[in-house]
Amino acid sequence: MSVTAATSPAVGSFHLCRRSPGPATIPRFRMTVRSTAVYLTPLVTKLHKDCATPLPVLRHVADAMAADMRAGLAAEGGSDLKMILSYVDSLPTGSEKGLFYALDLGGTNFRVLRVQLGGKEERVIATEFDQVSIPKDLMFGTSEELFDFIASGLAKFAQKEGNKFHLPVGTKREIGFTFSFPVKQTSVDSGILIKWTKGFSVSGTAGRDVVACLMEAMERLGLDMRVSALVNDTVGTLAGARYWDDAVMVAVILGTGTNACYVERVDAIPKLQDHVSSSGTTIISTEWGAFSNGLPLTEFDRDMDAASINPGEQIFEKTIAGMYLGEIVRRVLLKMAEEDALFGESIPEKLATPFALGTPDLCAMQQDTSNDLQDVGSILYKAAGVESNLSARKIVVEVCDTIVKRGGRLAGAGIVGILQKMEEDSKGLIFGKKTVVAMDGGLYENYPQYRRYLREAVTELLGDDIAKNVVIEHSKDGSGIGAALLAAANSKYRDYDL
Ligand code: ADP
Ligand code: MG
């Protein structure tokens, strides 16, 4: 889509108009535009300027990410980035054998999965999974009720184990538990829930070991299984991707929220005092959503943050992740409606409603290639209750693109920051050969423009030659099988000949 500055008198004219509701004393400008191009209203121009991510900004973000990682590794609380130890020291190698289960609780659904692993030659012999949605009332109930429900889902699934799956005599079924809520990990198979997020408000779990909660529920049911790994979705994704490719060093989730983890050398973690890792490496969950240094932010970001349940926190996440991009765009459009009468005289209630516009709406609008932007019009009407003409639709698409471009490019800069930090510590081992970043999450998976902007930023920062060595690979639902593989890698029976 072409973009033309509206400052030239040849391309647009302003009408003074007055509208209600709103302070009647403030004159408002409305712009009449021709239909062939997007004209930059002062608000669009300002948005472009405030959201700009030229190379120096990207470089600053990458450098600051690397510096914050170091500070978070040096001391507990040393930086915005918590740099949480996952206690996962052994990643899958491909030689894992046996039957393993995974349980993935990350949002409104939980998934159960079983896999029969056959070692280097046979790899995944058989796999099956099931998905169960969590009844709304359990999201607000007690810890026992929630974990009883999960354990009974697991029990039902385990009962259906067919003859493709084999458990050696004298061993228990082992589970990798992916639990994507803030946890203070205490060992590879235990961790304390700090707080519920994502709409969960279950009483009695915060402050407790979630593995113990699950084990107690299994005991109440007489289900004799053992949790051998507790991980979050980034660590699960890293493990799932590493099983197939030794070059995987980093995993990133770009979904509702965002996080990244990577393989770190134990001797590069000063805050770690008495941790022994036979591999000499361990997985660090950066918790990079909390990064905030030098981000190009707008009044819309600041207002959204102030109205959020966690003001001042998770600023990187609020700039790049799926939960927020639609809301930022809605706030921009609301201001344009109020000040430029973008959608005519009145402002529908829906447009003024937080989170009325979702990131999937932005994505759908950006895929509209029709001349009259019909889809953009109907999505705007459905989601925000606004009637729009073609010029307004073009401005809307331009706003979506500006916010998504900033998000994708900053995510790319964050990835480069992690790789840069790793390269500085191990000259040539990251940029001198193929290095894979495993990626998962609904935003990355579904939003082609976001993916493209992310990749472009990586290439701009690294230059063509080095960028060729950095492969960003979509590892769809890798975290489920990754958790099962970590159960295998951390199995109690690891040294048995199964
Ligand atoms: P989580 O596991 O964190 O809930 P997912 O990885 O399932 O997240 O991703 C869901 C998120 O992905 C949604 O919140 C939304 O922001 C984003 N998303 C889903 N579908 C699309 C789409 N079609 N276009 C853009 N973003 C999408
Ligand atoms: Mg997820």
Side-chain angles (χ1 to χ4, degrees):
M1 182 174 289
S2 58
V3 176
T4 319
T7 43
S8 150
V11 293
S13 61
F14 289 95
H15 298 297
L16 248 179
C17 66
R18 210 164 265 193
R19 296 176 312 106
S20 61
T25 48
I26 301 174
R28 295 169 192 276
F29 293 93
R30 182 160 51 159
M31 216 177 112
T32 308
V33 291
R34 286 187 204 143
S35 61
T36 49
V38 178
Y39 297 109
L40 298 183
T41 66
L43 281 179
V44 175
T45 307
K46 178 158 186 348
L47 188 71
H48 278 165
K49 191 165 151 271
D50 291 348
C51 292
T53 49
L55 193 53
V57 169
L58 294 180
R59 187 145 283 145
H60 173 84
V61 167
D63 290 347
M65 184 68 77
D68 276 7
M69 288 170 70
R70 283 187 196 288
L73 291 172
E76 217 58 76
S79 112
D80 281 347
L81 271 57
K82 286 210 183 72
M83 305 300 283
I84 292 176
L85 208 62
S86 68
Y87 291 88
V88 170
D89 299 335
S90 359
L91 280 168
T93 59
S95 50
E96 292 75 14
K97 280 188 181 174
L99 167 62
F100 295 93
Y101 276 72
L103 185 64
D104 187 339
L105 181 67
T108 47
N109 295 315
F110 79 88
R111 283 159 60 93
V112 278
L113 172 147
R114 69 179 139 247
V115 58
Q116 185 76 40
L117 301 169
K120 279 260 186 267
E121 298 302 316
E122 293 178 283
R123 294 276 167 157
V124 175
I125 297 170
T127 176
E128 286 175 350
F129 76 91
D130 207 356
Q131 181 160 307
V132 186
S133 69
I134 300 196
K136 260 264 178 287
D137 54 326
L138 288 188
M139 292 169 68
F140 301 94
T142 66
S143 193
E144 285 77 22
E145 286 164 346
L146 177 66
F147 281 96
D148 280 349
F149 181 79
I150 293 169
S152 82
L154 178 63
K156 278 184 209 139
F157 180 67
Q159 271 161 18
K160 287 185 286 183
E161 188 183 283
N163 53 13
K164 280 184 284 181
F165 298 90
H166 307 283
L167 187 73
V169 181
T171 63
K172 284 187 188 186
R173 286 175 180 75
E174 288 183 297
I175 311 167
F177 186 15
T178 308
F179 184 81
S180 302
F181 297 91
V183 158
K184 166 114 186 62
Q185 198 91 27
T186 40
S187 72
V188 72
D189 58 3
S190 64
I192 310 289
L193 177 70
I194 298 167
K195 60 177 177 192
W196 286 106
T197 53
K198 302 190 240 184
F200 279 68
S201 179
V202 176
S203 62
T205 326
R208 290 211 56 205
D209 173 11
V210 292
V211 172
C213 293
L214 178 61
M215 293 295 293
E216 285 161 16
M218 292 198 296
E219 271 162 33
R220 285 194 286 273
L221 277 177
L223 183 64
D224 193 16
M225 295 172 89
R226 175 179 179 272
V227 177
S228 28
L230 171 71
V231 295
N232 69 26
D233 48 2
T234 50
V235 177
T237 299
L238 182 71
R242 173 62 87 96
Y243 181 67
W244 300 105
D245 188 347
D246 280 348
V248 176
M249 298 299 276
V250 180
V252 176
I253 301 286
L254 285 161
T256 307
T258 184
N259 191 14
C261 73
Y262 71 106
V263 180
E264 183 57 286
R265 288 182 2 212
V266 168
D267 62 9
I269 315 175
K271 72 177 174 182
L272 201 61
Q273 313 248 284
D274 50 4
H275 185 81
V276 182
S277 155
S278 55
S279 62
T281 59
T282 191
I283 310 304
I284 297 286
S285 178
T286 62
E287 308 294 314
W288 81 354
F291 177 78
S292 65
N293 193 331
L295 297 173
L297 299 178
T298 66
E299 60 181 292
F300 308 103
D301 301 295
R302 283 185 264 273
D303 292 349
M304 178 180 72
D305 176 49
S308 70
I309 52 164
N310 51 353
E313 291 174 20
Q314 299 294 100
I315 305 299
F316 193 48
E317 179 163 87
K318 285 170 180 163
T319 320
I320 70 167
M323 178 164 169
Y324 303 101
L325 300 181
E327 172 62 6
I328 302 168
V329 168
R330 185 197 66 81
R331 285 172 177 270
V332 177
L333 298 184
L334 179 62
K335 177 152 183 177
M336 289 179 169
E338 285 170 350
E339 299 202 354
D340 291 349
L342 183 65
F343 305 116
E345 298 304 305
S346 64
I347 295 171
E349 211 178 296
K350 266 192 177 173
L351 184 62
T353 308
F355 294 93
L357 205 58
T359 302
D361 296 323
L362 313 190
C363 177
M365 290 196 281
Q366 282 207 262
Q367 310 319 311
D368 186 354
T369 52
S370 66
N371 284 334
D372 57 356
L373 297 178
Q374 182 83 44
D375 291 350
V376 175
S378 55
I379 291 163
L380 281 174
Y381 184 73
K382 215 167 128 211
V386 297
E387 305 269 7
S388 54
N389 60 23
L390 182 58
S391 56
R393 292 174 194 175
K394 287 185 176 178
I395 288 178
V396 171
V397 174
E398 187 57 32
V399 171
C400 294
D401 194 62
T402 306
I403 299 303
V404 165
K405 182 176 186 176
R406 180 185 65 165
R409 285 173 66 83
L410 290 175
I415 291 170
V416 170
I418 294 181
L419 295 172
Q420 201 172 296
K421 190 283 174 196
M422 297 169 82
E423 170 75 11
E424 281 164 14
D425 289 358
S426 60
K427 290 270 172 278
L429 289 182
I430 297 295
F431 291 151
K433 63 179 186 50
K434 177 184 150 193
T435 294
V436 177
V437 177
M439 183 77 82
D440 200 9
L443 174 62
Y444 186 81
E445 181 178 355
N446 294 302
Y447 212 141
Q449 282 84 356
Y450 187 97
R451 277 201 302 272
R452 203 186 72 226
Y453 287 133
L454 185 156
R455 181 72 235 183
E456 279 173 9
V458 170
T459 306
E460 268 176 51
L461 276 166
L462 295 178
D464 287 339
D465 286 347
I466 292 177
K468 274 192 207 113
N469 285 340
V470 174
V471 180
I472 299 176
E473 224 161 59
H474 182 205
S475 165
K476 189 170 163 47
D477 295 332
S479 81
I481 199 152
L485 289 161
L486 285 172
N490 293 285
S491 167
K492 193 165 99 174
Y493 315 109
R494 194 171 32 194
D495 300 326
Y496 290 26
D497 190 13
L498 299 179

